[in-house]
Amino acid sequence: VVRLEEITKVYGSGDMAVHALAGVNLNIKKGEYCAIMGASGSGKSTMMNVIGCLDRPSAGRYYLENLDVSQLPEDDLARIRNLQIGFVFQQFHLLSQLSALDNVMLPMVYAGVSSRDRRDRAEDALIRVGLKDRMLNKPTQLSGGQQQRVAIARALVNRPVILLADEPTGALDSRTTQEVMELFSELHQAGIAVIMVTHEPDVARLTERIVWVKDGAILHNRLAPDD
Amino acid sequence: VVRLEEITKVYGSGDMAVHALAGVNLNIKKGEYCAIMGASGSGKSTMMNVIGCLDRPSAGRYYLENLDVSQLPEDDLARIRNLQIGFVFQQFHLLSQLSALDNVMLPMVYAGVSSRDRRDRAEDALIRVGLKDRMLNKPTQLSGGQQQRVAIARALVNRPVILLADEPTGALDSRTTQEVMELFSELHQAGIAVIMVTHEPDVARLTERIVWVKDGAILHNRLAPDD
Ligand SMILES: Nc1ncnc2c1ncn2[C@@H]1O[C@H](COP(=O)(O)OP(=O)(O)OP(=O)(O)O)[C@@H](O)[C@H]1O
Ligand SMILES: Nc1ncnc2c1ncn2[C@@H]1O[C@H](COP(=O)(O)OP(=O)(O)OP(=O)(O)O)[C@@H](O)[C@H]1O
Ligand SMILES: [Mg+2]
Ligand SMILES: [Mg+2]
């Protein structure tokens, strides 16, 4: 469902050039559950941004469900991002002037979901991540881990085929992490491809496959947990 | 060096009231190395903000080096925050329009450090956290873990007596985490009190003492690692 071929991403130029991605080749099948690990600065978030159609590569091809993404106009990309891909950002990117509930409902506004269904689905998602009593709080009135969970709820409400989660349990204690992992596992069972950047081995161990990134390239693919 | 007595923090009022802190009593000795753990939303960051003089409690007393902080005017608090306390925020709070180097130099401007010493100390701190080649990057040009490390460097440059670190390795891979832990250990050896919120047991294990927080109160104090 996701195929990256020789993807490169360069920032700057000349001897100031930073090769954030240096020839990434990656195939992710429909419904696969995949962890992405690697050192800080190795290119994981950059790669996720390319997969999530948020960033265009400097070179290489990206096929999403066999469509060459680089040939698509911006409107099509925006639809794909909204309807097919759910993204949990490393820095959450919640809108600070909106409540948790409004933040979670926003993607459904763009998708044309009815206002009653938006509310129901958003409430269900927030209850599912344990935020039943915090729905009306704004992000500044939420703890770090609560904000992270709002970001997770928001990524799910349009029922995407691919969930991209960049360090989704970074701010969570072990029990809440377990609950989020059970949620991801259910989504995976339901046929959603889950691609998750994590630096926690216990989280990576729960996936089907671990992809290692080093200096902007895929080091090797191996099957989870410890082969 | 830090003494909290019956500290409470309430948001909202009536039946909407959230007791983020509900009678916290805590004593931290000079130079102690202490981990704070607890579920998401249990009050850890709120407590850190009170200790860091960033937030006033709703009730209770806070003695910092035996001075009653609640009796101090804002100017004195600002000096204390700048000179005695280093704070690594859970959400980093770097200034996006400044480079990593300028971000790290800023606390020293307020402290009246000469411009040559500011530059030297800031560069040393950034090299120490592995960011030698990223000093001129702005936060948007840095990975999540790199931003976290800039926040760590910034907390150290005024040589505080207390380092407050809210999930300082949340965005870091295991090797970088180890390097940061070695740095904290050195600071501790040098006599700095290190108070660190973490949800990672491997990180907490390296401290002298683990304080558990639950529903806004200290559950129990116990000595690290597993007593
Ligand atoms: N301004 C506010 N208004 C209302 N409630 C708030 C406000 N700020 C924080 N809270 C609530 O106070 C509680 C404690 O928050 P705090 O940030 O201290 O938790 P935490 O232990 O740091 O959690 P995490 O591990 O997720 O970072 C949370 O339940 C949060 O929703
Ligand atoms: N706009 C930019 N200009 C210059 N360099 C950049 C820019 N954005 C990212 N980089 C660099 O690209 C590299 C890869 O960044 P990326 O965010 O993908 O790392 P990461 O693997 O997600 O790291 P982390 O685990 O710390 O989140 C980093 O070294 C970073 O400094
Ligand atoms: Mg990243
Ligand atoms: Mg917190």
Side-chain angles (χ1 to χ4, degrees):
Chain A
V1 67
V2 163
R3 189 159 92 250
L4 301 177
E5 287 180 2
E6 285 303 318
I7 293 289
T8 67
K9 181 76 187 175
V10 187
Y11 292 107
S13 57
D15 33 284
M16 289 299 289
V18 171
H19 296 262
L21 295 178
V24 167
N25 292 294
L26 183 67
N27 264 329
I28 301 199
K29 296 184 180 53
K30 201 168 175 347
E32 202 163 13
Y33 194 176
C34 171
I36 299 183
M37 302 188 86
S40 173
S42 57
K44 306 178 296 296
S45 297
T46 306
M47 188 164 93
M48 293 285 271
N49 288 342
V50 169
I51 296 174
C53 302
L54 290 159
D55 206 4
R56 288 192 187 270
S58 311
R61 289 252 168 270
Y62 169 29
Y63 298 92
L64 174 60
E65 305 213 80
N66 291 321
L67 262 181
D68 182 349
V69 159
S70 53
Q71 302 306 328
L72 297 175
E74 182 52 34
D75 287 355
D76 288 16
L77 283 185
R79 276 182 63 75
I80 286 174
R81 278 197 301 266
N82 181 244
L83 297 177
Q84 292 183 273
I85 298 171
F87 210 129
V88 186
F89 297 99
Q90 189 168 7
Q91 320 261 359
F92 317 156
H93 297 315
L94 300 176
L95 298 181
S96 53
Q97 68 276 24
L98 298 183
S99 67
L101 190 65
D102 287 335
N103 263 288
V104 175
M105 289 202 286
L106 202 51
M108 292 186 279
V109 174
Y110 296 128
V113 176
S114 80
S115 94
R116 168 177 297 180
D117 286 348
R118 288 203 300 263
R119 198 168 187 92
D120 288 347
R121 273 202 234 171
E123 288 181 356
D124 288 349
L126 284 164
I127 290 170
R128 187 64 222 264
V129 294
L131 293 177
K132 178 157 165 291
D133 304 323
R134 291 284 181 277
M135 291 194 201
L136 304 179
N137 290 40
K138 295 207 172 94
T140 44
Q141 299 167 330
L142 294 173
S143 77
Q146 290 166 343
Q147 292 177 35
Q148 187 155 50
R149 286 181 271 159
V150 175
I152 291 169
R154 181 181 61 176
L156 303 175
V157 286
N158 270 336
R159 299 165 184 168
V161 292
I162 300 170
L163 176 67
L164 299 176
D166 198 343
E167 304 269 2
T169 62
L172 304 178
D173 60 279
S174 45
R175 172 136 165 256
T176 318
T177 294
Q178 222 171 323
E179 288 164 20
V180 167
M181 284 300 106
E182 282 166 16
L183 171 55
F184 282 15
S185 189
E186 284 181 25
L187 297 171
H188 165 57
Q189 307 290 357
I192 295 174
V194 179
I195 306 172
M196 178 174 66
V197 172
T198 183
H199 63 259
E200 298 185 45
D202 289 346
V203 165
R205 198 158 292 159
L206 302 170
T207 61
E208 297 172 330
R209 176 186 175 200
I210 300 180
V211 171
W212 284 86
V213 178
K214 183 169 156 57
D215 300 329
I218 307 277
L219 195 58
H220 54 87
N221 278 308
R222 57 180 188 174
L223 295 167
D226 292 310
D227 47 301
Chain B
V1 67
V2 164
R3 189 159 92 251
L4 301 177
E5 288 181 3
E6 284 304 316
I7 293 289
T8 67
K9 181 76 186 174
V10 187
Y11 292 108
S13 56
D15 32 284
M16 288 298 289
V18 171
H19 295 261
L21 294 178
V24 168
N25 292 293
L26 184 67
N27 264 329
I28 301 198
K29 296 186 180 54
K30 199 168 174 352
E32 202 164 12
Y33 193 177
C34 171
I36 299 182
M37 301 189 86
S40 173
S42 56
K44 307 179 295 297
S45 296
T46 306
M47 187 164 92
M48 293 285 272
N49 288 342
V50 169
I51 296 173
C53 302
L54 290 159
D55 207 2
R56 287 192 188 271
S58 312
R61 290 251 167 272
Y62 171 28
Y63 299 92
L64 174 61
E65 305 213 80
N66 291 321
L67 261 181
D68 183 350
V69 159
S70 52
Q71 302 306 328
L72 297 176
E74 183 53 35
D75 287 356
D76 289 17
L77 283 185
R79 274 181 63 76
I80 286 173
R81 276 197 302 265
N82 181 245
L83 296 177
Q84 291 183 274
I85 298 171
F87 210 130
V88 186
F89 296 98
Q90 190 169 7
Q91 319 261 0
F92 318 157
H93 297 316
L94 300 176
L95 298 181
S96 53
Q97 66 277 26
L98 298 184
S99 68
L101 190 65
D102 287 336
N103 264 287
V104 174
M105 289 202 286
L106 202 50
M108 293 186 279
V109 174
Y110 297 128
V113 176
S114 79
S115 96
R116 169 178 297 181
D117 286 349
R118 287 203 301 263
R119 196 165 187 94
D120 288 348
R121 273 202 233 171
E123 288 181 356
D124 287 350
L126 284 164
I127 289 171
R128 187 60 221 268
V129 294
L131 293 177
K132 179 157 164 294
D133 304 324
R134 291 284 182 279
M135 291 195 202
L136 304 178
N137 289 41
K138 296 209 174 93
T140 46
Q141 300 169 330
L142 293 173
S143 77
Q146 290 167 344
Q147 292 176 35
Q148 186 155 48
R149 287 181 270 159
V150 175
I152 291 168
R154 181 180 62 178
L156 304 174
V157 286
N158 270 336
R159 298 165 185 168
V161 293
I162 300 170
L163 176 67
L164 300 175
D166 199 344
E167 304 268 4
T169 63
L172 304 178
D173 60 278
S174 47
R175 173 138 164 254
T176 318
T177 294
Q178 223 172 322
E179 289 164 19
V180 167
M181 284 300 107
E182 282 166 17
L183 171 56
F184 282 13
S185 189
E186 283 179 27
L187 298 170
H188 166 56
Q189 308 291 356
I192 296 174
V194 179
I195 305 171
M196 177 174 68
V197 173
T198 183
H199 64 259
E200 299 185 43
D202 290 345
V203 165
R205 200 158 290 157
L206 302 170
T207 61
E208 297 172 328
R209 174 183 177 203
I210 299 182
V211 171
W212 284 86
V213 178
K214 184 169 157 48
D215 300 329
I218 308 277
L219 194 60
H220 53 88
N221 278 309
R222 58 181 188 175
L223 295 165
D226 294 308
D227 47 301

